[in-house]
Amino acid sequence: MAIFIQHCKELLTPLFPGNGKIQRLKNASLIIEDNLISWVGSDHDCPSPEPGDQVIDGTNQILTPGLIDSHTHLVFAGDRSGEFIQRTQGATYQQISASGGGIASTVTKTREASAYDLLRTARPRVNRWMEQGVTTLEIKSGYGLTTESELKLLRVIRQLKKEVPIDISATFLGAHDIPAEFKENRTDYIQKIITEMIPAVSAENLAEAVDVFCETGVYSISESRLILESALHHKLKIKVHADELSALGGASLAAQLNGLSADHLLCITDQGINDLTNSETVAILLPGTAWFLKMPYAPARKLLDSGICVALATDFNPGSCTIDQFSFILMLAALYMNMTPDEILSAVTVNAAKALDRETETGKLAPGYRADLVLWNAPSWEHIIYHPTHNHAGKVFASGKLIYQSEIWNECLFL
Ligand code: NIG
Ligand code: FE
């Protein structure tokens, strides 16, 4: 039985990762067979449904690929609202970390939490992403920082993957911080990551990639390199939290090691931009973090104008960005990073797919691609960016399966 989605007001899809170009087709149809897209085109060229096929009327709706959030830390325990209030009174994120708060405080709570409790709290978060049209979601570990508790987090992510109908990509981030008990002998912790954690993650096939928080006071360039080379040795892909709070050179490191992505880049230098330009590494920008930390935004225009493949993601986590509304991230990208609507759509579909090594599977509406798509109850893609505080997702399909639907049209607020 095929599913026909017909008479869409507009269908929007990127064609290739990279340049932010979007193909727009008015009065469009799309056919899903099994879990794949089998046909895309104009209403008047659309083959006729056969008896037994399902027909969905997309009149007045917008059709796009399912969204991809390529950077989250959404499995953790506890909240850090106290630190947030300290920041409103002048303390900086780095000062709070240096005095034992920050990531360390979430680590304490997460170590104490059972796998069951972590799963119980993460599950509704994933539902929230699905309801907003997210059909591929990356989740990092990184709040355990012992072999046992990092494996606990990754097994929770594996369990989420089994329970939910969307695609989840797990990343091992044991190098998220130096745990308090290793502050005086950090090289021992790095050795533990290399000789114990990465081999265990690889043996249980618990992650696709390894990430490092390459930052002044956290992991230096040479320490990050050691960890990432060990990941490559174990056939894991690599990602880097790069040039987030200071210009350490993480973007260049990611490019040199052929990483899937260099993430954050608030402080990227011209050298970093140059190195990314000459690489296949995707720049994942996280404007919610800049907003939440009151920092200058990543130089998105410079990156885009240099031809770098740019993705946008939430970075959802308890310390540097609690925004769980993807469309709000899109508004920040438009308002403060001067990205166009087409660049924004590419950044949360095909470019994000590339950052997760999935660009041949998902991220665009074309025959043979996974049927991950969203029919929006909105008059245009631009409207979703402009009015982000409401959820405009009308029907969300993941691998050809309807996973969420809503009849609510918030657009009426604007009539
Ligand atoms: O992406 N930079 C490191 N990790 C997170 C912050 C995590 C936290 O504060 O808990 C980030 O900003
Ligand atoms: Fe992050």
Side-chain angles (χ1 to χ4, degrees), residues 235-411:
K235 309 255 173 313
L236 291 160
K237 299 165 211 165
I238 60 183
K239 299 183 149 274
V240 184
H241 275 70
D243 304 319
E244 178 181 358
L245 308 171
S246 63
L248 202 62
S252 299
L253 179 67
Q256 281 160 23
L257 296 178
N258 198 20
L260 281 180
S261 65
D263 304 43
H264 283 287
L265 310 177
L266 306 190
C267 304
I268 191 171
T269 60
D270 286 348
Q271 179 66 50
I273 293 178
N274 201 39
D275 292 340
L276 285 183
T277 306
N278 297 313
S279 79
E280 286 298 311
T281 302
V282 177
I284 301 184
L285 306 186
L286 306 149
T289 310
W291 186 75
F292 196 81
L293 296 182
K294 300 205 281 184
M295 295 212 14
Y297 290 82
R301 276 275 39 104
K302 251 176 133 172
L303 296 165
L304 287 158
D305 297 341
S306 306
I308 293 167
C309 184
V310 170
L312 285 165
T314 60
D315 195 26
F316 179 74
N317 74 73
S320 70
C321 185
T322 54
I323 300 170
D324 54 6
Q325 183 92 18
F326 206 4
S327 46
F328 187 68
I329 303 294
L330 311 188
M331 178 189 246
L332 294 177
L335 274 179
Y336 301 114
M337 301 201 306
N338 302 106
M339 289 177 66
T340 67
D342 286 12
E343 287 166 343
I344 290 172
L345 182 57
S346 292
V348 292
T349 54
V350 75
N351 293 358
K354 181 168 175 177
L356 299 178
D357 203 15
R358 279 163 169 69
E359 72 272 28
T360 56
E361 287 164 50
T362 189
K364 68 182 200 185
L365 301 179
Y369 277 72
R370 206 159 69 199
D372 293 342
L373 38 108
V374 188
L375 201 50
W376 300 93
N377 294 342
S380 65
W381 170 245
E382 286 73 7
H383 185 93
I384 295 159
I385 301 170
Y386 145 85
H387 181 214
T389 48
H390 286 270
N391 183 16
H392 298 277
K395 285 190 171 60
V396 182
F397 288 87
S399 288
K401 214 171 112 194
L402 182 65
I403 62 163
Y404 172 77
Q405 65 179 323
S406 161
E407 299 305 324
I408 298 169
W409 278 74
N410 296 302
E411 185 211 356

Side-chain angles (χ1 to χ4, degrees), residues 71 73 80 93 103 143 176 213 241 244 264 289 315 317-320:
H71 182 139
H73 306 250
R80 309 225 301 263
Y93 180 83
I103 293 172
Y143 290 117
H176 197 189
F213 189 13
H241 275 70
E244 178 181 358
H264 283 287
T289 310
D315 195 26
N317 74 73
S320 70

Side-chain angles (χ1 to χ4, degrees), residues 78-296:
D79 94 85
R80 309 225 301 263
S81 50
E83 292 180 7
F84 173 79
I85 301 303
Q86 282 176 23
R87 286 200 299 107
T88 65
Q89 289 159 4
T92 66
Y93 180 83
Q94 291 95 319
Q95 285 165 346
I96 292 169
S97 298
S99 62
I103 293 172
S105 60
T106 301
V107 167
T108 304
K109 288 271 192 309
T110 304
R111 283 181 181 171
E112 285 165 10
S114 65
Y116 176 80
D117 282 339
L118 290 167
L119 185 64
R120 191 175 54 79
T121 49
R123 181 61 211 259
R125 293 180 195 144
V126 175
N127 287 347
R128 182 161 169 77
W129 264 247
M130 290 177 359
E131 289 170 5
Q132 296 178 62
V134 171
T135 52
T136 305
L137 176 62
E138 189 259 13
I139 309 176
K140 300 176 198 295
S141 68
Y143 290 117
L145 312 187
T146 61
T147 306
E148 187 197 0
S149 56
E150 283 295 310
L151 293 178
K152 173 176 74 176
L153 287 168
L154 290 170
R155 289 181 191 131
V156 166
I157 300 171
R158 180 176 61 190
Q159 185 58 29
L160 283 169
K161 215 171 154 144
K162 284 192 193 141
E163 291 185 8
V164 301
I166 62 169
D167 183 11
I168 290 184
S169 173
T171 301
F172 168 63
L173 180 55
H176 197 189
D177 201 357
I178 304 281
E181 61 278 17
F182 282 95
K183 283 277 190 254
E184 302 310 319
N185 46 353
R186 48 192 295 128
T187 51
D188 289 357
Y189 184 65
I190 295 166
Q191 276 313 307
K192 208 180 199 14
I193 294 179
I194 292 173
T195 60
E196 203 175 292
M197 296 189 185
I198 292 179
V201 169
S202 157
E204 254 190 80
N205 203 10
L206 282 170
E208 295 177 33
V210 172
D211 194 343
V212 176
F213 189 13
C214 178
E215 183 58 59
T216 306
V218 194
Y219 290 89
S220 68
I221 291 285
S222 57
E223 291 168 341
S224 302
R225 182 189 290 276
L226 274 178
I227 295 165
L228 295 170
E229 281 174 347
S230 148
L232 290 173
H233 177 74
H234 283 89
K235 309 255 173 313
L236 291 160
K237 299 165 211 165
I238 60 183
K239 299 183 149 274
V240 184
H241 275 70
D243 304 319
E244 178 181 358
L245 308 171
S246 63
L248 202 62
S252 299
L253 179 67
Q256 281 160 23
L257 296 178
N258 198 20
L260 281 180
S261 65
D263 304 43
H264 283 287
L265 310 177
L266 306 190
C267 304
I268 191 171
T269 60
D270 286 348
Q271 179 66 50
I273 293 178
N274 201 39
D275 292 340
L276 285 183
T277 306
N278 297 313
S279 79
E280 286 298 311
T281 302
V282 177
I284 301 184
L285 306 186
L286 306 149
T289 310
W291 186 75
F292 196 81
L293 296 182
K294 300 205 281 184
M295 295 212 14

